[in-house]
């Protein structure tokens, strides 16, 4: 017997209809996928892909050893992956690098997500973000979360997965009024490849709202000099403002980084 | 094995053949799961998926599936669906990028649906003809609970079994069972009914809040 008509679902369906699927398009899309991959993965590139996949495959074997045969992949695999990452934190970059090379397969992406979320989850528990802001290019995201100790921190995620200098303004609003501030954070390469995010604690109580402005950022790719990088890193965390200024003055900081730093110094 | 009729193979047989490099088997598998992939793409985000984006997401899912099939370790259909669903979600989320900035305050009065604009008339046909009210209520539902919103849209468009809905609504972090899917549908419908100004005496077919039994 056909189910009774439901006017509410009918109305929702009329308002938000799903896109239809065209059989001819479907045939072409599947054919295209099969053909494009066949031509893209010739013998040489396939061998290369296999080599790049080795670290991931080794890790997957290690994870599999921790997983019962009957474990459902979604839950068990992730738990096991986290267990491996906790036990062997140095595996994180290798996992992510392999995953990046192979791009968005299911297991690959699980590793990527695990690698990205693990430090954040450890730092923030399961608390929902208090506020989120993304730059116009969606390359850098600043998230306001509570960490395990109850501190409210700003966390930065950079999709570029390169060294990024980020500047973000925040405003806290309460019945007593509002207060504002800003912060510059520097996410080093190794950290972002592991999904780390620079963090900065701010004082926000439970009944206060926080607003984040869209962050500004610049790549730190020109920071080849380790000493400059260290100085900028310190400066970004407010430890060595003089080193920051010196790096600007003697020309070691150039390009967008310098512009951003000078803007911050001028405030 | 040219000319072999692969349509007679079970999904598991096709999966095994696909992993072994049988591209025709993989093509048959993708055809067989194309509707599933479409569902997975359309439930991957909390946003509406326009036709053009849906096609991009599905095409990307096909390509990624072809590219990754040799590494698939699934030995059951459930594992395969979980694997496929994850690919579809990843690809869809890559296509449907989040809004540049979203500072949503759920308590913001300006964001709430304007209840005063809801026609108190008990005429359901007239009520649902008010697409603005419906749109506001859908948006308020989405803001209140993405899970409930996705559940409602899924049921509205596909009328799936509870078990199927549960699979599609599951994430790596949260495994949804059939009971939860039914519960989410019920809550979504309750929210919508309340938002639209429908109460328990207003349209029996609405407040029964039908939830399919898996």
């Amino acid at each position: 017997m056909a189910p009774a008509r439901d006017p509410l679902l009918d109305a929702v369906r009329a308002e938000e209809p799903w896109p239809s699927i065209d059989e001819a398009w479907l045939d072409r899309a599947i054919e295209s996928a099969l053909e494009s991959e066949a031509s893209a993965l010739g013998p040489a590139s396939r061998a290369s892909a296999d080599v790049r996949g080795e670290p991931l495959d080794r890790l997957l074997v290690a994870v599999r050893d921790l997983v019962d045969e009957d474990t459902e992949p979604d839950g068990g695999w992730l738990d096991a992956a986290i267990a491996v990452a906790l036990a062997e934190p140095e595996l994180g970059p290798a996992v992510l690098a392999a995953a990046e090379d192979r791009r968005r397969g299911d297991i690959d992406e699980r590793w990527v997500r695990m690698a990205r979320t693990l430090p954040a989850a450890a730092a923030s528990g399961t608390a929902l973000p208090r506020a989120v802001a993304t730059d116009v290019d969606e390359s850098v995201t600043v998230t306001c979360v509570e960490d395990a100790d109850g501190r409210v921190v700003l966390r930065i995620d950079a999709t570029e997965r390169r060294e990024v200098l980020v500047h973000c303004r925040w405003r806290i609003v309460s019945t007593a009024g509002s207060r504002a501030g800003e912060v510059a954070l520097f996410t080093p390469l190794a950290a972002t490849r592991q999904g780390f995010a620079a963090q900065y604690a701010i004082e926000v109580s439970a009944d206060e709202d926080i607003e984040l402005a869209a962050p500004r950022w610049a790549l730190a790719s020109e920071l080849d000099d380790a000493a400059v990088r260290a100085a900028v890193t310190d400066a970004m965390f407010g430890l060595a403002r003089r080193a920051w200024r010196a790096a600007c003055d003697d020309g070691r900081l150039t390009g967008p980084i310098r512009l951003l730093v000078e803007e911050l110094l001028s405030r | 094995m040219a000319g072999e009729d692969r349509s007679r193979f079970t999904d598991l047989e096709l999966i095994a053949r696909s992993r072994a490099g049988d591209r025709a088997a993989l093509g048959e598998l993708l055809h067989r799961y194309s509707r599933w992939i479409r569902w997975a793409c359309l439930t991957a985000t909390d946003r509406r998926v326009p036709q053009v984006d849906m096609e991009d997401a599905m095409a990307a899912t096909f390509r990624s599936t072809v590219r990754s099939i040799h590494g698939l370790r699934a030995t059951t259909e459930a594992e395969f669906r979980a694997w496929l669903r994850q690919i579809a979600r990843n690809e869809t989320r890559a296509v449907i990028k989040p809004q540049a900035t979203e500072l949503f305050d759920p308590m913001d009065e300006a964001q709430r649906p304007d209840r005063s604009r809801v026609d108190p008339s008990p005429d359901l046909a007239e009520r649902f003809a008010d697409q603005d009210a419906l749109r506001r209520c859908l948006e308020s539902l989405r803001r209140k609970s993405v899970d409930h919103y996705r559940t409602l849209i899924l049921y509205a468009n596909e009328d799936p079994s509870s078990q199927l809905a549960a699979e599609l609504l599951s994430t790596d972090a949260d495994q949804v069972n059939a009971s939860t899917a039914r519960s989410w549908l019920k809550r979504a419908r309750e929210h919508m009914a309340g938002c639209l100004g429908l109460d328990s005496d207003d349209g029996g077919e609405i407040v029964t809040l039908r939830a399919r039994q898996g």
Side-chain angles (χ1 to χ4, degrees):
Chain A
M1 186 174 68
R5 298 290 294 173
D6 180 326
L8 179 55
L9 289 185
D10 284 347
V12 172
R13 184 182 298 118
E15 173 63 18
E16 300 225 340
W18 278 10
S20 61
I21 186 170
D22 177 81
E23 290 299 325
W25 174 88
L26 184 66
D27 289 341
R28 289 196 304 275
I30 292 176
E31 193 65 26
S32 172
L34 291 169
E35 289 306 314
S36 67
E37 292 306 318
S39 59
L41 281 183
S45 57
R46 184 186 298 280
S48 173
D50 288 343
V51 170
R52 288 201 305 270
E54 271 186 12
L56 180 62
D57 290 340
R58 286 203 303 272
L59 291 169
L60 293 176
V61 170
V63 171
R64 266 211 169 264
D65 290 340
L66 297 175
V67 183
D68 293 336
E69 286 295 322
D70 296 328
T71 303
E72 283 294 318
D74 276 344
W77 277 73
L78 189 60
D79 290 343
I82 291 173
V84 168
L86 288 173
E88 311 259 4
E90 72 277 12
L91 295 181
V95 170
L96 192 56
E100 282 175 345
D101 283 343
R102 289 169 60 147
R103 300 286 299 167
R104 294 201 296 273
D106 87 304
I107 297 294
D108 311 31
E109 194 61 14
R110 256 178 241 158
W111 277 100
V112 173
R113 185 168 44 258
M114 177 275 296
R116 282 181 183 157
T117 58
L118 183 64
S124 66
T126 57
L128 293 172
R130 295 278 296 270
V132 179
T134 308
D135 72 297
V136 292
D137 294 321
E138 301 169 9
S139 300
V140 170
T141 299
V142 177
T143 309
C144 179
V145 295
E146 265 184 53
D147 69 10
D149 297 322
R151 296 181 313 161
V152 175
V153 299
L154 298 181
R155 203 184 71 216
I156 292 175
D157 294 289
T159 59
E160 285 284 339
R161 288 192 283 283
R162 296 163 68 180
E163 292 164 321
V164 176
L165 178 65
V166 177
H167 172 224
C168 182
R169 293 179 188 154
W170 48 264
R171 188 166 71 99
I172 296 170
V173 183
S174 69
T175 54
S178 68
R179 51 202 164 94
E182 58 191 326
V183 61
L185 294 173
F186 182 64
T187 61
L189 178 65
T192 47
R193 287 182 72 86
Q194 292 179 63
F196 276 178
Q199 293 196 351
Y200 175 75
I202 53 180
E203 294 288 335
V204 188
S205 62
D207 58 351
E208 289 179 318
D209 290 329
I210 181 166
E211 297 173 353
L212 302 177
R216 297 186 57 198
W217 63 276
L219 289 177
S221 54
E222 57 265 61
L223 299 180
D224 293 325
D225 184 295
V228 174
R229 179 183 296 125
V232 172
T233 304
D234 286 346
M236 292 304 103
F237 287 95
L239 300 177
R241 196 175 177 88
R242 278 185 304 175
W244 198 358
R245 166 54 70 192
C248 280
D249 290 345
D250 66 15
R252 286 178 294 167
L253 277 184
T254 58
I257 290 278
R258 176 172 182 154
L259 293 176
L260 191 57
V261 166
E262 286 188 333
E263 179 184 325
L264 289 169
L265 283 172
S266 68
R267 294 177 188 281
Chain B
M1 291 190 207
E4 190 173 15
D5 179 13
R6 290 174 175 79
S7 64
R8 62 185 174 81
F9 292 132
T10 66
D11 289 356
L12 278 178
E13 288 171 332
L14 286 175
I15 292 168
R17 284 168 173 263
S18 299
R19 288 167 55 188
D22 184 341
R23 302 180 71 78
L26 181 53
E28 170 68 19
L29 195 62
L30 289 174
H31 267 289
R32 208 173 276 188
Y33 276 86
S34 57
R35 187 176 173 84
W36 169 272
I37 291 171
R38 176 170 169 267
W39 287 338
C41 291
L42 289 165
T43 55
T45 77
D46 63 343
R47 305 193 181 285
R48 299 177 65 177
V49 182
Q51 174 82 28
V52 64
D53 288 341
M54 190 275 287
E55 291 182 352
D56 284 350
M58 286 187 71
T61 301
F62 293 149
R63 285 195 299 272
S64 190
T65 302
V66 172
R67 191 164 54 237
S68 308
I69 191 73
H70 66 278
L72 174 63
R73 287 162 173 78
T75 55
T76 67
E77 290 175 12
E79 287 180 350
F80 174 71
R81 285 199 300 273
W83 178 82
L84 196 56
R85 186 191 69 208
Q86 198 58 54
I87 291 179
R89 287 190 171 170
N90 292 337
E91 297 296 348
T92 305
R93 288 169 183 171
V95 169
I96 312 291
K97 292 183 177 177
Q99 288 179 348
T101 302
E102 187 167 19
L103 294 175
F104 169 64
D105 179 356
M107 300 307 292
D108 185 353
E109 287 293 334
Q111 309 249 22
R112 291 183 176 178
D114 183 358
R115 296 291 296 270
S116 66
R117 293 188 58 186
V118 174
D119 184 354
S121 164
D123 185 330
L124 294 178
E126 187 176 319
R127 177 70 45 80
F128 291 127
D130 183 352
Q131 295 295 296
D132 283 343
L134 188 63
R135 192 174 299 119
R136 285 196 302 274
C137 290
L138 282 169
E139 181 60 17
S140 74
L141 174 65
R142 188 177 75 82
R143 293 185 183 283
K144 181 187 178 191
S145 168
V146 169
D147 288 330
H148 297 177
Y149 170 81
R150 290 169 62 220
T151 306
L152 185 74
I153 300 303
L154 173 64
Y155 273 92
N157 281 283
E158 293 292 346
D159 204 16
S161 70
S162 297
Q163 187 56 47
L164 176 58
E167 285 190 32
L168 290 164
L169 295 167
S170 290
T171 65
D172 282 354
D174 294 305
Q175 290 300 300
V176 177
N177 58 35
S179 174
T180 301
R182 288 194 297 270
S183 172
W184 283 357
L185 175 63
K186 181 173 184 292
R187 291 181 190 177
R189 294 164 57 82
E190 286 172 345
H191 176 91
M192 292 296 292
C195 184
L196 288 163
L198 304 170
D199 57 34
S200 58
D201 299 323
D202 200 358
E205 66 271 44
I206 295 297
V207 295
T208 54
L209 299 174
R210 174 177 61 90
R212 285 174 55 90
Q213 300 302 306

